[in-house]
């Protein structure tokens, strides 16, 4: 028996190009969400969790349209956040990014992700398939956690809009990364959200 978690970054949102925090899915984001929904429609999902932000909520709604038996559930543990700050081990190249982030934001993000790991990366009984629709940094933190990598390594991981990352745990074994940022369901013109340099 295996516990699978399908991690999906939300689709592109309309205000992304203007630097605004949130907004509805753009027409391109709607196409991205439709295609990831098609890809996941055959999965025996037992739960769909999503960030309460509009772009993640709308992505989850489009997935749920293909699976009427599933009701998406919002979780505040999946909000967009910055999960850690500069440390002695963090490469200096990332300092400019943290110049725009307050200590309070980092503290809140760290606490949120500690709770998220305790909530989601817990072995369920039986064969379980869960979908989590959230944000780039949150998925990066989950992947870093599964790999047991140093805290700052989340900054070296990126997910495209509606990219698919799968982690899994068999009974009595550690979590395993099965696939990361799989974009096979997206044509080239819909592969957005990957910065040229990270973070931006």
């Amino acid at each position: 028996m295996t516990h699978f978690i399908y991690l999906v970054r939300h689709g592109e949102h309309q205000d992304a190009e203007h630097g605004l925090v949130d907004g509805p899915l753009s027409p391109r984001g709607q196409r991205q969400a439709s295609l990831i929904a098609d890809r996941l429609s055959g999965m025996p999902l037992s739960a769909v969790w999503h960030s309460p932000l509009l772009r993640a909520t709308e992505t989850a709604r489009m997935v749920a349209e293909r699976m009427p038996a599933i009701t998406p559930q919002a979780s505040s543990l999946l909000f967009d956040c910055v999960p850690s700050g500069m440390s002695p081990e963090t490469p200096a190249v990332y300092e400019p990014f943290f110049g725009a982030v307050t200590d309070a934001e980092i503290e809140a993000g760290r606490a949120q992700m500690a709770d998220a790991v305790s909530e989601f990366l817990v072995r369920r009984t039986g064969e379980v398939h869960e979908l989590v629709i959230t944000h780039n940094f949150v998925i990066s933190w989950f992947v870093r956690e599964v790999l047991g990598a140093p805290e700052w390594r989340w900054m070296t991981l990126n997910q495209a809009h509606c990219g698919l990352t799968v982690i899994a745990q068999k009974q009595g074994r550690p979590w395993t990364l099965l696939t990361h940022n799989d974009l096979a369901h997206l044509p080239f013109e819909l592969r957005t959200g990957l910065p040229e340099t990270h973070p931006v």
Side-chain angles (χ1 to χ4, degrees):
M1 296 292 189
T2 305
H3 179 191
F4 294 92
I5 299 179
Y6 306 90
L7 298 164
V8 171
R9 186 182 179 189
H10 59 80
E12 179 188 75
H13 62 101
Q14 288 185 10
D15 298 320
E17 63 187 62
H18 305 297
L20 300 181
V21 173
D22 199 18
L25 294 179
S26 66
R28 185 160 56 183
Q30 292 174 8
R31 291 178 62 201
Q32 292 164 341
S34 177
L35 290 169
I36 188 65
D38 286 344
R39 181 161 185 188
L40 294 171
S41 63
M43 298 292 183
L45 296 178
S46 52
V48 176
W49 303 92
H50 64 90
S51 159
L53 292 177
L54 182 57
R55 57 193 187 268
T57 300
E58 289 194 349
T59 304
R61 187 179 303 132
M62 293 188 72
V63 171
E65 287 174 359
R66 309 291 203 284
M67 306 174 193
I70 295 291
T71 301
Q73 300 177 69
S75 170
S76 60
L77 298 179
L78 299 174
F79 266 121
D80 201 5
C81 70
V82 177
S84 74
M86 284 293 293
S87 71
E89 296 76 30
T90 308
V93 69
Y94 295 116
E95 269 190 67
F97 169 77
F98 288 110
V101 183
T102 67
D103 290 343
E105 288 172 325
I106 292 170
E107 183 179 344
R110 184 185 299 277
Q112 175 190 318
M113 291 315 301
D115 289 344
V117 166
S118 297
E119 175 71 22
F120 291 101
L121 297 188
V122 176
R123 181 73 172 88
R124 317 287 187 207
T125 302
E127 187 84 6
V128 179
H129 298 259
E130 295 181 305
L131 172 61
V132 173
I133 299 172
T134 182
H135 306 277
N136 192 29
F137 292 170
V138 175
I139 296 172
S140 296
W141 188 262
F142 278 144
V143 173
R144 182 217 59 81
E145 182 76 19
V146 166
L147 296 176
E151 281 194 353
W152 66 270
R153 294 292 292 184
W154 68 269
M155 303 186 73
T156 67
L157 297 164
N158 281 284
Q159 291 72 220
H161 292 121
C162 289
L164 176 63
T165 294
V166 184
I167 58 177
Q169 185 184 46
K170 289 183 179 292
Q171 192 71 44
R173 298 186 182 184
W175 283 94
T176 301
L177 177 64
L178 298 184
T179 186
H180 177 251
N181 197 38
D182 183 349
L183 304 179
H185 50 286
L186 298 176
F188 182 77
E189 66 273 13
L190 294 185
R191 296 181 181 184
T192 63
L194 287 173
E196 292 182 11
T197 59
H198 180 73
V200 291

